Amino acid sequence: MFVDKAKIYVKGGDGGDGLIAFRREKYVPDGGPAGGDGGKGGDVIFRVDEGLRTLMDFRYQRHFKAKRGEKGRNKSQHGANAENTIVRIPPGTVLIDDDTGEVIADMTRHGQQIVVARGGRGGRGNIRFATPNNPAPELAENGEEGEERYVVMELKVMADVGLVGFPSVGKSTLLSVVSAAQPKIGAYHFTTITPNLGMVDVGDGRSFVMADLPGLIEGAHEGVGLGHEFLRHVERTRVIIHVVDMAGSEGRDPFEDWQKINEEIKLYNPVLVERPQIVAANKMDMPEAAENLKMFREQVQAVRPDLEIMPISSLTRQGIQELLYRTAAILDEIPEEPIVEDVPEAAERKVYKFNKKDDHAFTITRENEMFVVHSDRIERMLKRLQMNSHDAILKLARTLRHMGVDEELRRRGATEGTIVRIGDFEFEFIEGSSYY
């Protein structure tokens, strides 16, 4: 089964917690702090593996979480950093942030990799907080949380040649004739509902990858029929072979078919109109095909005099070898660099400078008899500090007093014993004290 779209959840590993510890060797008086820092959490990294062809694996595993960094150790030892989590993806995968719709990366080359979710930093141990005024601090930090996000993965088939055309014009039959691929073939519309790939050996030492892409219908650029599920893959092909039923066996006019398909491709992505195209006039073994081909050439000549039209028959193999030779010749003239999404470089993105005034901003609301303080800076501090030590409480109290939270609470009517909530923590307000 071919899967070309998936949505997954990724989370970087949390950082390890810092440690509160002291040297206690027998002959080392006043040994001082010895708590080490926590290790960094692992990153979630996506890496291109050319051996993969579909996103099938992501139907069964949709969550990827990196490991947490180890906690700090005594004797000033740093906790071990966690190993990164490597996620293998097929070439041609576009990664999109589900929340913002921003293209994270367009992965095309084997071995190419990108960090999708970074691991959190490790928390600092108490050795980091030692000062001349406080040589034995009982203060340490928790590890930082790793990044998390939902990522939409879209696979665009990486093929040299793409077969396009209305349903039942003979694309799958042509692929089965020129390669070892065995696509499902039937006498009804939309036999092909997923791309099929085949390796084509031209016979003179040259070869290329051909993709039989699902049939188009009018309105596909708006999602009608298979819509974008088809057009997504056309973007990656270097040469387009437009297969046309020259016998009109479905009761349609070959020239109108050719015009409608080109219009759908143009409306989806105007750049694709400039892609090299060969018209494969198929089913020339059937009655009226020769007469229709003559009229078709005249009609196309008036619109695209440069377009090559090559009569073929997938059934009798008439003209097949000539088509392969011509396709290989065009491929030799085209650079092999894959066509990728125009993703702006990180340096071009906006960088917002830190605003100290905004970092000191806070709001206070009241819920019955309780005051609730909202502040990004204080909530970040509470997440990082290990609040089970006296030194941590003193540090928080100094920060609140410096920001003016104490004064504002008193102005709003906070008295001795009033409950104050900040994030997930609740405190008692103590009048005249330096801490809660």
Side-chain angles (χ1 to χ4, degrees):
M1 184 181 294
F2 187 92
V3 178
D4 61 357
K5 192 169 185 178
K7 179 180 175 181
I8 64 172
Y9 169 82
V10 294
K11 185 182 186 307
D14 296 338
D17 298 338
L19 184 69
I20 299 175
F22 297 91
R23 294 185 65 183
R24 301 189 185 279
E25 288 92 340
K26 183 176 181 179
Y27 298 105
V28 183
D30 302 324
D37 299 343
K40 179 184 176 298
D43 299 332
V44 178
I45 299 176
F46 282 23
R47 180 180 296 166
V48 176
D49 184 343
E50 63 184 6
L52 300 177
R53 282 289 175 256
T54 80
L55 300 176
M56 170 63 72
D57 293 342
F58 300 99
R59 291 191 64 184
Y60 306 105
Q61 184 178 358
R62 296 179 181 271
H63 288 72
F64 295 87
K65 296 182 180 180
K67 293 183 178 179
R68 184 185 187 115
E70 288 189 5
K71 293 182 179 181
R73 302 177 181 180
N74 56 10
K75 298 184 180 180
S76 306
Q77 293 180 1
H78 194 291
N81 296 333
E83 292 185 359
N84 297 326
T85 297
I86 306 297
V87 181
R88 299 185 307 129
I89 59 175
T93 303
V94 180
L95 307 176
I96 303 170
D97 188 289
D98 186 51
D99 292 330
T100 64
E102 178 187 14
V103 176
I104 302 170
D106 193 351
M107 312 294 282
T108 57
R109 302 183 306 276
H110 177 67
Q112 181 184 0
Q113 64 181 34
I114 184 173
V115 178
V116 179
R118 297 189 180 279
R121 293 176 301 173
R124 292 179 292 177
N126 68 332
I127 192 174
R128 300 288 186 181
F129 296 96
T131 64
N133 294 331
N134 186 11
E138 293 188 7
L139 184 65
E141 291 180 334
N142 295 319
E144 190 179 61
E145 293 182 353
E147 293 179 346
E148 57 182 327
R149 67 194 339 180
Y150 281 94
V151 177
V152 175
M153 309 170 67
E154 292 186 354
L155 176 61
K156 298 180 180 180
V157 168
M158 300 286 288
D160 299 308
V161 179
L163 302 177
V164 306
F166 266 88
S168 300
V169 295
K171 299 185 299 298
S172 298
T173 304
L174 175 59
L175 180 65
S176 67
V177 168
V178 300
S179 73
Q182 297 180 343
K184 182 180 178 182
I185 300 173
Y188 52 89
H189 287 185
F190 297 114
T191 309
T192 307
I193 59 175
T194 58
N196 292 302
L197 293 175
M199 179 61 72
V200 179
D201 184 1
V202 179
D204 57 0
R206 292 179 294 178
S207 62
F208 55 83
V209 178
M210 179 181 285
D212 165 26
L213 303 173
L216 265 173
I217 60 174
E218 195 170 2
H221 71 282
E222 298 176 344
V224 177
L226 295 177
H228 293 165
E229 303 303 317
F230 158 80
L231 289 163
R232 178 188 308 132
H233 303 294
V234 181
E235 292 182 288
R236 285 292 158 80
T237 56
R238 296 164 59 201
V239 174
I240 296 174
I241 295 182
H242 193 151
V243 184
V244 179
D245 179 3
M246 201 51 59
S249 55
E250 294 284 325
R252 297 190 306 268
D253 180 66
F255 181 70
E256 289 183 5
D257 281 5
W258 176 80
Q259 280 187 315
K260 288 178 180 178
I261 297 296
N262 280 335
E263 184 65 19
E264 292 302 321
I265 294 175
K266 179 180 179 181
L267 290 173
Y268 177 73
N269 188 344
V271 176
L272 296 177
V273 179
E274 303 173 5
R275 199 69 47 85
Q277 183 180 141
I278 301 174
V279 174
N282 196 20
K283 303 186 181 181
M284 292 303 297
D285 57 296
M286 298 185 67
E288 301 181 0
E291 185 178 341
N292 289 341
L293 176 60
K294 182 179 179 181
M295 184 181 299
F296 181 80
R297 286 185 184 278
E298 295 174 356
Q299 292 171 315
V300 172
Q301 184 72 21
V303 183
R304 287 275 304 270
D306 60 318
L307 193 65
E308 292 187 70
I309 303 172
M310 304 191 69
I312 66 167
S313 171
S314 299
L315 186 64
T316 64
R317 304 202 175 196
Q318 169 194 345
I320 295 295
Q321 194 59 48
E322 289 78 4
L323 175 63
L324 298 184
Y325 283 140
R326 183 56 189 146
T327 303
I330 295 176
L331 287 172
D332 290 340
E333 301 171 0
I334 303 174
E336 293 188 4
E337 288 80 7
I339 299 118
V340 299
E341 296 284 341
D342 185 17
V343 183
E345 296 293 333
E348 297 178 4
R349 297 175 185 172
K350 294 182 180 179
V351 177
Y352 296 95
K353 293 184 178 179
F354 173 73
N355 190 326
K356 190 174 181 180
K357 183 178 179 181
D358 292 342
D359 197 50
H360 282 65
F362 64 89
T363 58
I364 298 177
T365 59
R366 188 161 185 167
E367 295 181 3
N368 299 324
E369 299 301 320
M370 179 172 60
F371 289 93
V372 181
V373 179
H374 303 277
S375 167
D376 291 340
R377 179 185 178 186
I378 301 173
E379 290 176 20
R380 287 198 305 268
M381 179 182 291
L382 285 172
K383 284 184 178 179
R384 294 282 281 172
L385 288 178
Q386 297 177 8
M387 297 300 296
N388 55 356
S389 70
H390 183 70
D391 284 4
I393 296 174
L394 287 178
K395 182 177 177 65
L396 173 64
R398 288 193 298 270
T399 302
L400 293 174
R401 188 170 60 253
H402 177 69
M403 292 176 61
V405 177
D406 283 20
E407 183 180 348
E408 183 64 20
L409 284 170
R410 291 190 188 95
R411 192 184 70 80
R412 292 189 176 224
T415 58
E416 186 86 15
T418 300
I419 301 299
V420 179
R421 189 176 74 209
I422 308 176
D424 296 330
F425 293 85
E426 292 185 0
F427 310 88
E428 284 189 11
F429 185 79
I430 302 177
E431 185 64 46
S433 177
S434 60
Y435 59 90
Y436 291 81

